[in-house]
């Protein structure tokens, strides 16, 4: 682990300009998703003032003069919230005439963000491994034309679905622990560990795919072969091989997994909270860390195997 952090620190600062550029690409790709979420909130959710004591929507003038006869009961309804002015409002959800367009825009924005996240991992893999940086044209051509983009998007969608389902299970088990038996806290703890396991597996799988695909691309380039479409032949097999390798690496060293996940989460949180870091290192920083871990771990494993064979 010490070597992995050493590689992370050295490669991060030695290639700071490239780290910032790749992260800026990722941050720019976040903007359409932010806009889509804002449009979805304005399109699908309607806030209506509610007359206290009745629970029925009313106009703002009526709500202002309504006597708060039964305010506690009115505000206890699941469909009622307190607005910024302190008055109760009722949320109603509807698809609306623009709903289909907003939904399509949100899906496309999410896919763009997934593709940009994969690109960051491929760019940081090229900086972290022993290969010299061959320029953005080589990285983009390898990532877009050779097929890794499709696998990266698929992997991130699998991760998000697993993450959301696991969080839903945690909330459900915590509810059962409060209403039925504290033993459900054990199941909530198990699911929390599974969230960590799925997160680390996905991030390591991205780094493994990036380093493997770039290695193959460099080998083909050195032989003078065209890289376009070559990696597409691996397809699903390449994705599941990377997921399996990431899962094995995560399970073999749980302590290392917890430390790496904590440091990566800290980098991301500081980057997003600082504002400036969101555009500079929020995603590229963790990508360098995971790529450094994969590069040092697999190189050490290879050296150990070669020594054992001698």
């Amino acid at each position: 682990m010490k070597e992995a952090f050493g590689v992370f620190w050295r490669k991060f600062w030695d290639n700071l300009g490239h780290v910032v550029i790749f992260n800026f690409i990722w941050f720019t790709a976040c903007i359409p998703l932010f806009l889509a979420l804002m449009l979805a909130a304005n399109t699908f959710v309607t806030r209506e003032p509610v007359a206290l004591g009745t629970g029925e929507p009313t106009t703002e003038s009526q709500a202002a003069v309504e006597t708060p006869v039964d305010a506690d009961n009115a505000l206890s309804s699941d469909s009622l919230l307190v607005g910024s002015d302190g008055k109760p409002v009722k949320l109603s959800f509807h698809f609306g005439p623009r709903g289909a367009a907003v939904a399509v825009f949100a899906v496309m924005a999410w896919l763009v963000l997934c593709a940009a996240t994969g690109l960051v991992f491929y760019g940081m893999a090229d900086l972290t491994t022993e290969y010299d940086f061959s320029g953005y044209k080589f990285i983009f051509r390898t990532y877009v034309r050779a097929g890794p983009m499709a696998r990266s998007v698929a992997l991130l969608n699998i991760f998000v679905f697993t993450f959301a389902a696991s969080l839903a299970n945690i909330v459900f088990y915590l509810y059962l622990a409060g209403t039925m038996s504290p033993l459900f806290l054990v199941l909530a703890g198990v699911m929390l560990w599974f969230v960590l396991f799925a997160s680390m597996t996905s991030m390591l799988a991205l780094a493994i795919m990036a380093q493997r695909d770039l290695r193959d691309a460099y080998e083909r380039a050195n032989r003078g072969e065209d890289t376009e479409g070559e990696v597409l032949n691996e397809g699903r097999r390449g994705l599941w091989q990377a997921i399996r390798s990431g899962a094995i690496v995560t399970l073999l060293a749980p302590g290392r997994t917890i430390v790496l996940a904590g440091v990566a989460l800290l980098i991301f949180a500081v980057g997003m909270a600082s504002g400036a870091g969101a555009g500079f290192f929020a995603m590229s920083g963790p990508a360098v860390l995971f790529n450094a871990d994969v590069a040092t771990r697999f190189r050490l494993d290879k050296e150990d195997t070669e020594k054992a064979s001698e």
Side-chain angles (χ1 to χ4, degrees), residues 57-134:
T58 184
T59 62
E60 292 188 4
S61 59
Q62 290 175 330
V65 300
E66 185 71 27
T67 303
V69 178
D70 195 13
D72 293 337
N73 291 335
L75 297 178
S76 65
S77 174
D78 293 337
S79 61
L80 297 181
L81 296 175
V82 177
S84 58
D85 57 356
K87 299 176 183 179
V89 294
K90 184 176 182 179
L91 299 181
S92 60
F93 300 88
H94 58 90
F95 196 71
R98 299 187 304 168
V102 172
V104 171
F105 177 58
V107 171
M108 296 301 296
W110 166 248
L111 295 178
V112 168
L113 180 58
C114 290
T117 303
L119 176 64
V120 171
F121 270 80
Y122 274 73
M124 298 305 98
D126 196 48
L127 299 177
T128 306
T129 53
E130 68 273 15
Y131 306 111
D132 294 329
F133 186 67
S134 296

XYZ file of all heavy atoms in Angstrom, residues 57-134:
569
model
N -55.124 21.949 -1.133
C -54.396 23.046 -1.767
C -55.255 24.294 -1.831
O -56.473 24.235 -1.982
C -54.103 22.511 -3.175
C -54.201 21.024 -3.047
C -55.243 20.780 -1.995
N -54.612 25.426 -1.700
C -55.325 26.691 -1.759
C -54.401 27.739 -2.339
O -53.242 27.475 -2.622
C -55.799 27.122 -0.353
O -56.572 28.296 -0.474
C -54.614 27.376 0.559
N -54.896 28.902 -2.527
C -54.066 29.980 -3.039
C -53.226 30.549 -1.906
O -53.518 30.333 -0.721
C -54.942 31.085 -3.643
O -55.778 31.626 -2.615
C -55.807 30.533 -4.770
N -52.172 31.294 -2.264
C -51.287 31.836 -1.238
C -52.018 32.843 -0.354
O -51.768 32.942 0.840
C -50.075 32.495 -1.901
C -49.161 31.495 -2.590
C -47.880 32.159 -3.057
O -47.708 33.366 -2.757
O -47.077 31.479 -3.706
N -52.966 33.611 -0.940
C -53.698 34.590 -0.137
C -54.594 33.896 0.875
O -54.730 34.337 2.010
C -54.530 35.496 -1.057
O -55.442 34.706 -1.824
N -55.210 32.790 0.462
C -56.053 32.043 1.400
C -55.209 31.415 2.491
O -55.606 31.378 3.651
C -56.827 30.967 0.646
C -57.909 31.528 -0.261
C -58.572 30.437 -1.076
O -57.947 29.433 -1.411
N -59.831 30.636 -1.396
N -54.023 30.887 2.121
C -53.176 30.248 3.116
C -52.661 31.261 4.128
O -52.423 30.939 5.290
C -51.991 29.551 2.429
N -52.508 32.526 3.687
C -51.961 33.531 4.587
C -52.957 33.904 5.678
O -52.572 34.239 6.797
C -51.557 34.785 3.798
N -54.260 33.869 5.365
C -55.269 34.286 6.348
C -55.916 33.097 7.036
O -56.751 33.272 7.899
C -56.369 35.134 5.654
C -55.758 36.369 5.019
C -57.097 34.319 4.592
N -55.572 31.889 6.651
C -56.187 30.705 7.249
C -55.763 30.576 8.705
O -54.589 30.728 9.046
C -55.763 29.464 6.472
C -56.449 28.190 6.949
C -57.912 28.164 6.563
O -58.272 28.806 5.565
O -58.679 27.490 7.260
N -56.709 30.304 9.588
C -56.395 30.115 10.997
C -55.776 28.740 11.200
O -56.350 27.722 10.798
C -57.670 30.221 11.851
O -58.261 31.499 11.600
C -57.348 30.075 13.334
N -54.631 28.655 11.885
C -53.966 27.356 12.078
C -54.673 26.537 13.154
O -54.203 26.415 14.288
C -52.553 27.754 12.514
C -52.703 29.099 13.136
C -53.826 29.759 12.416
N -55.828 25.994 12.778
C -56.626 25.241 13.748
C -55.964 23.925 14.103
O -55.906 23.526 15.258
C -58.043 24.996 13.176
C -58.868 24.179 14.144
C -58.716 26.328 12.876
N -55.455 23.224 13.102
C -54.913 21.892 13.347
C -53.578 21.777 12.621
O -53.378 20.917 11.788
C -55.884 20.824 12.840
C -55.543 19.449 13.403
O -54.734 19.376 14.340
O -56.114 18.464 12.895
N -52.646 22.666 12.943
C -51.384 22.734 12.205
C -50.568 21.469 12.374
O -49.932 20.994 11.437
C -50.574 23.946 12.667
N -50.558 20.888 13.590
C -49.738 19.696 13.818
C -50.187 18.545 12.937
O -49.385 17.845 12.335
C -49.802 19.283 15.291
C -49.131 20.314 16.179
O -48.274 21.067 15.656
O -49.457 20.365 17.373
N -51.500 18.332 12.844
C -52.010 17.251 12.013
C -51.782 17.535 10.539
O -51.506 16.637 9.752
C -53.504 17.035 12.276
C -53.763 16.461 13.651
O -52.895 15.803 14.215
N -54.942 16.716 14.198
N -51.903 18.803 10.148
C -51.728 19.140 8.737
C -50.301 18.909 8.304
O -50.041 18.417 7.215
C -52.115 20.604 8.504
N -49.339 19.245 9.164
C -47.938 19.096 8.793
C -47.432 17.687 8.972
O -46.318 17.376 8.580
C -47.080 20.050 9.639
C -47.355 21.534 9.436
C -46.473 22.366 10.356
C -47.123 21.931 7.986
N -48.215 16.808 9.594
C -47.762 15.443 9.810
C -48.002 14.553 8.604
O -47.558 13.431 8.577
C -48.481 14.842 11.033
O -49.877 14.742 10.758
N -48.716 15.047 7.610
C -48.990 14.256 6.418
C -47.717 14.062 5.617
O -46.884 14.960 5.523
C -50.045 14.960 5.550
O -50.212 14.272 4.324
N -47.539 12.892 5.037
C -46.345 12.592 4.256
C -46.253 13.458 3.011
O -45.167 13.679 2.487
C -46.321 11.114 3.856
C -46.147 10.214 5.064
O -45.632 10.713 6.081
O -46.527 9.031 4.982
N -47.405 13.935 2.500
C -47.397 14.710 1.265
C -47.208 16.195 1.500
O -47.199 16.974 0.561
C -48.717 14.505 0.503
O -49.806 14.940 1.289
N -47.081 16.610 2.772
C -46.941 18.014 3.093
C -45.527 18.317 3.565
O -44.938 17.552 4.318
C -47.939 18.416 4.177
C -49.423 18.290 3.813
C -50.271 18.736 4.984
C -49.749 19.097 2.573
N -45.006 19.440 3.120
C -43.709 19.923 3.560
C -43.845 21.386 3.947
O -44.825 22.046 3.613
C -42.664 19.774 2.449
C -42.339 18.344 2.004
C -41.376 18.390 0.823
C -41.732 17.547 3.152
N -42.856 21.893 4.652
C -42.843 23.291 5.045
C -41.979 24.045 4.050
O -40.818 23.681 3.819
C -42.298 23.473 6.471
C -42.237 24.960 6.832
C -43.173 22.726 7.458
N -42.528 25.074 3.420
C -41.789 25.855 2.450
C -40.792 26.777 3.103
O -40.676 26.860 4.331
N -40.040 27.514 2.281
C -39.026 28.430 2.797
C -39.639 29.574 3.599
O -38.973 30.171 4.444
C -38.208 29.003 1.631
O -39.056 29.669 0.709
N -40.927 29.883 3.344
C -41.596 30.943 4.081
C -42.271 30.447 5.348
O -42.971 31.200 6.027
C -42.624 31.641 3.184
C -43.641 30.652 2.614
O -43.482 29.427 2.858
O -44.572 31.101 1.925
N -42.083 29.173 5.673
C -42.670 28.598 6.878
C -44.075 28.087 6.715
O -44.665 27.562 7.665
N -44.673 28.218 5.534
C -46.036 27.757 5.295
C -46.030 26.357 4.698
O -45.115 26.006 3.946
C -46.748 28.713 4.340
C -46.866 30.140 4.884
C -47.490 31.054 3.863
C -47.543 32.496 4.377
N -48.125 33.409 3.370
N -47.035 25.549 5.017
C -47.073 24.188 4.464
C -47.387 24.190 2.977
O -48.189 24.994 2.496
C -48.195 23.519 5.264
C -49.078 24.646 5.668
C -48.180 25.825 5.903
N -46.726 23.320 2.254
C -46.972 23.151 0.826
C -47.164 21.663 0.543
O -46.634 20.810 1.243
C -45.811 23.710 -0.029
C -45.699 25.209 0.116
C -44.493 23.046 0.356
N -47.927 21.390 -0.476
C -48.187 20.025 -0.882
C -47.483 19.748 -2.199
O -47.593 20.523 -3.158
C -49.701 19.790 -1.046
C -50.055 18.345 -1.391
C -51.563 18.159 -1.434
C -51.921 16.707 -1.718
N -53.384 16.515 -1.744
N -46.739 18.640 -2.250
C -46.027 18.252 -3.453
C -46.878 17.293 -4.263
O -47.402 16.310 -3.723
C -44.691 17.595 -3.102
C -43.680 18.442 -2.330
C -42.412 17.639 -2.090
C -43.384 19.736 -3.051
N -47.027 17.568 -5.521
C -47.736 16.666 -6.422
C -46.836 16.342 -7.607
O -46.119 17.209 -8.110
C -49.041 17.317 -6.916
O -48.774 18.526 -7.608
N -46.865 15.093 -8.019
C -46.009 14.612 -9.097
C -46.856 14.319 -10.334
O -47.886 13.654 -10.243
C -45.265 13.351 -8.657
C -44.395 13.552 -7.455
C -44.896 13.392 -6.173
C -43.066 13.930 -7.599
C -44.097 13.589 -5.060
C -42.254 14.125 -6.492
C -42.777 13.957 -5.225
N -46.408 14.827 -11.462
C -47.125 14.579 -12.709
C -46.115 14.569 -13.846
O -45.055 15.206 -13.775
C -48.194 15.646 -12.947
C -47.648 17.040 -12.998
N -47.228 17.649 -14.159
C -47.432 17.950 -12.002
C -46.784 18.851 -13.895
N -46.895 19.074 -12.590
N -46.435 13.831 -14.894
C -45.507 13.678 -16.028
C -45.482 14.933 -16.887
O -44.420 15.422 -17.250
C -45.911 12.458 -16.860
C -44.841 11.999 -17.801
C -43.692 11.392 -17.322
C -44.974 12.182 -19.164
C -42.694 10.978 -18.185
C -43.995 11.765 -20.033
C -42.852 11.147 -19.544
N -46.632 15.474 -17.215
C -46.698 16.715 -17.969
C -46.390 16.518 -19.445
O -45.868 15.489 -19.866
N -46.696 17.523 -20.259
C -46.467 17.401 -21.706
C -44.988 17.352 -22.076
O -44.623 16.817 -23.124
C -47.145 18.663 -22.266
C -47.171 19.630 -21.128
C -47.330 18.799 -19.892
N -44.118 17.927 -21.231
C -42.688 17.912 -21.529
C -41.964 16.764 -20.847
O -40.735 16.681 -20.919
C -42.051 19.216 -21.083
C -42.598 20.465 -21.773
C -41.771 21.669 -21.370
N -41.741 21.821 -19.910
C -40.909 22.657 -19.264
N -40.068 23.386 -19.966
N -40.954 22.756 -17.959
N -42.696 15.887 -20.191
C -42.065 14.839 -19.406
C -41.179 13.917 -20.221
O -40.069 13.577 -19.804
N -41.643 13.505 -21.395
C -40.863 12.583 -22.219
C -39.546 13.209 -22.661
O -38.475 12.578 -22.604
C -41.682 12.154 -23.443
N -39.597 14.461 -23.084
C -38.379 15.141 -23.531
C -37.388 15.308 -22.387
O -36.177 15.101 -22.557
C -38.731 16.497 -24.133
N -37.875 15.661 -21.208
C -36.999 15.836 -20.057
C -36.385 14.497 -19.646
O -35.189 14.420 -19.301
C -37.769 16.464 -18.887
C -36.919 16.483 -17.622
C -38.211 17.873 -19.245
N -37.187 13.421 -19.677
C -36.675 12.099 -19.313
C -35.581 11.642 -20.283
O -34.542 11.117 -19.864
C -37.815 11.088 -19.280
N -35.795 11.853 -21.569
C -34.778 11.472 -22.561
C -33.505 12.289 -22.356
O -32.387 11.760 -22.414
C -35.336 11.658 -23.980
C -34.221 11.484 -25.022
C -36.454 10.665 -24.242
N -33.672 13.580 -22.100
C -32.514 14.437 -21.866
C -31.737 13.991 -20.638
O -30.494 13.983 -20.630
C -32.961 15.884 -21.713
C -31.850 16.841 -21.405
C -30.759 16.964 -22.256
C -31.896 17.623 -20.258
C -29.724 17.847 -21.965
C -30.871 18.507 -19.968
C -29.786 18.620 -20.824
N -32.450 13.599 -19.565
C -31.782 13.145 -18.348
C -31.006 11.857 -18.602
O -29.876 11.691 -18.122
C -32.810 12.937 -17.239
N -31.588 10.932 -19.345
C -30.898 9.671 -19.645
C -29.652 9.925 -20.487
O -28.572 9.372 -20.217
C -31.856 8.700 -20.373
C -31.099 7.475 -20.879
C -32.979 8.264 -19.434
N -29.768 10.763 -21.504
C -28.616 11.068 -22.345
C -27.527 11.778 -21.544
O -26.328 11.504 -21.717
C -29.053 11.927 -23.528
C -30.018 11.245 -24.484
S -29.319 9.729 -25.198
C -27.948 10.407 -26.125
N -27.917 12.699 -20.655
C -26.931 13.395 -19.828
C -26.214 12.430 -18.900
O -24.997 12.548 -18.677
C -27.619 14.498 -19.020
N -26.943 11.463 -18.363
C -26.321 10.460 -17.490
C -25.331 9.599 -18.265
O -24.231 9.300 -17.775
C -27.398 9.590 -16.854
C -26.856 8.351 -16.211
C -27.046 7.067 -16.612
C -26.030 8.292 -15.048
N -26.388 6.196 -15.788
C -25.757 6.923 -14.814
C -25.492 9.241 -14.198
C -24.954 6.501 -13.749
C -24.695 8.824 -13.134
C -24.438 7.475 -12.930
N -25.674 9.194 -19.476
C -24.762 8.385 -20.288
C -23.503 9.168 -20.650
O -22.399 8.603 -20.675
C -25.475 7.898 -21.552
C -26.644 6.933 -21.333
C -27.293 6.562 -22.664
C -26.185 5.673 -20.596
N -23.661 10.453 -20.915
C -22.494 11.299 -21.207
C -21.576 11.377 -19.992
O -20.340 11.285 -20.114
C -22.949 12.710 -21.633
C -21.776 13.683 -21.661
C -23.609 12.656 -23.004
N -22.149 11.514 -18.809
C -21.332 11.566 -17.594
C -20.611 10.243 -17.363
O -19.438 10.229 -16.958
C -22.214 11.905 -16.393
C -21.492 11.999 -15.044
C -20.393 13.053 -15.087
C -22.477 12.306 -13.928
N -21.285 9.119 -17.605
C -20.635 7.807 -17.466
C -19.464 7.679 -18.429
O -18.383 7.195 -18.061
C -21.649 6.691 -17.717
S -22.915 6.503 -16.436
N -19.673 8.111 -19.675
C -18.598 8.043 -20.668
C -17.428 8.923 -20.254
O -16.260 8.545 -20.410
C -19.129 8.453 -22.039
N -17.704 10.117 -19.725
C -16.638 11.013 -19.292
C -15.880 10.438 -18.099
O -14.654 10.583 -18.002
C -17.222 12.382 -18.932
N -16.584 9.761 -17.198
C -15.915 9.135 -16.058
C -14.959 8.047 -16.522
O -13.826 7.945 -16.036
C -16.965 8.539 -15.099
O -17.869 9.565 -14.682
C -16.295 7.936 -13.873
N -15.393 7.223 -17.474
C -14.503 6.205 -18.017
C -13.291 6.821 -18.697
O -12.166 6.314 -18.574
N -13.493 7.922 -19.409
C -12.379 8.599 -20.079
C -11.351 9.084 -19.064
O -10.136 8.994 -19.315
C -12.901 9.775 -20.905
C -11.836 10.637 -21.599
C -11.086 9.811 -22.640
C -12.476 11.856 -22.243
N -11.797 9.600 -17.925
C -10.875 10.054 -16.886
C -10.015 8.894 -16.404
O -8.795 9.027 -16.236
C -11.648 10.688 -15.717
C -10.718 10.954 -14.537
C -12.302 11.979 -16.154
N -10.625 7.733 -16.190
C -9.864 6.574 -15.722
C -8.853 6.122 -16.770
O -7.738 5.721 -16.427
C -10.810 5.429 -15.360
C -11.261 5.461 -13.933
C -12.287 6.299 -13.525
C -10.660 4.656 -12.982
C -12.704 6.347 -12.209
C -11.067 4.678 -11.665
C -12.089 5.533 -11.277
N -9.218 6.197 -18.052
C -8.278 5.809 -19.100
C -7.133 6.816 -19.196
O -5.972 6.433 -19.397
C -9.004 5.678 -20.440
C -9.608 4.315 -20.633
C -10.741 3.935 -19.925
C -9.042 3.398 -21.501
C -11.299 2.683 -20.080
C -9.596 2.135 -21.668
C -10.725 1.788 -20.957
O -11.266 0.541 -21.100
N -7.445 8.094 -19.064
C -6.387 9.097 -19.097
C -5.438 8.960 -17.917
O -4.206 9.040 -18.080
N -5.979 8.731 -16.729
C -5.129 8.570 -15.555
C -4.356 7.254 -15.592
O -3.254 7.161 -15.043
C -5.977 8.635 -14.280
C -6.691 9.973 -14.067
S -5.607 11.423 -14.080
C -5.806 12.018 -15.764
N -4.897 6.240 -16.241
C -4.157 4.985 -16.396
C -2.927 5.196 -17.267
O -1.848 4.650 -16.997
C -5.061 3.914 -17.008
N -3.057 6.013 -18.305
C -1.922 6.282 -19.178
C -0.840 7.073 -18.454
O 0.351 6.905 -18.723
C -2.395 7.048 -20.412
C -1.365 7.029 -21.521
O -0.854 5.936 -21.831
O -1.064 8.097 -22.065
N -1.245 7.921 -17.511
C -0.275 8.695 -16.741
C 0.364 7.878 -15.626
O 1.502 8.146 -15.239
C -0.952 9.933 -16.124
C -1.562 10.938 -17.093
C -2.253 12.049 -16.305
C -0.512 11.519 -18.013
N -0.365 6.900 -15.094
C 0.085 6.174 -13.911
C 0.995 5.007 -14.258
O 1.923 4.688 -13.509
C -1.127 5.662 -13.112
O -1.994 6.761 -12.839
C -0.695 5.043 -11.788
N 0.744 4.345 -15.378
C 1.528 3.175 -15.748
C 2.879 3.587 -16.310
O 3.208 4.769 -16.406
C 0.762 2.327 -16.779
O 0.374 3.157 -17.876
C -0.499 1.747 -16.150
N 3.649 2.603 -16.729
C 5.009 2.874 -17.187
C 5.062 3.478 -18.579
O 6.123 3.881 -19.053
C 5.828 1.578 -17.184
C 5.402 0.539 -18.204
C 4.306 -0.375 -17.686
O 3.698 -0.019 -16.659
O 4.081 -1.431 -18.291
N 3.920 3.542 -19.283
C 3.917 4.088 -20.637
C 4.048 5.613 -20.604
O 3.564 6.271 -19.696
C 2.631 3.706 -21.375
C 2.373 2.223 -21.385
C 1.318 1.678 -20.661
C 3.196 1.361 -22.101
C 1.084 0.317 -20.657
C 2.965 -0.001 -22.103
C 1.916 -0.519 -21.381
O 1.686 -1.860 -21.370
N 4.695 6.164 -21.614
C 4.774 7.610 -21.744
C 3.450 8.128 -22.292
O 2.792 7.473 -23.101
C 5.916 8.003 -22.683
C 7.278 7.642 -22.099
O 7.402 7.666 -20.860
O 8.197 7.309 -22.878
N 3.079 9.335 -21.862
C 1.821 9.911 -22.314
C 1.904 10.191 -23.816
O 2.759 10.943 -24.284
C 1.543 11.210 -21.546
C 0.209 11.807 -21.845
C -0.955 11.171 -21.460
C 0.102 13.010 -22.525
C -2.195 11.727 -21.730
C -1.117 13.575 -22.801
C -2.273 12.924 -22.394
N 0.996 9.579 -24.576
C 1.055 9.658 -26.034
C 0.146 10.732 -26.607
O -0.003 10.806 -27.817
C 0.686 8.296 -26.642
O 1.650 7.328 -26.274
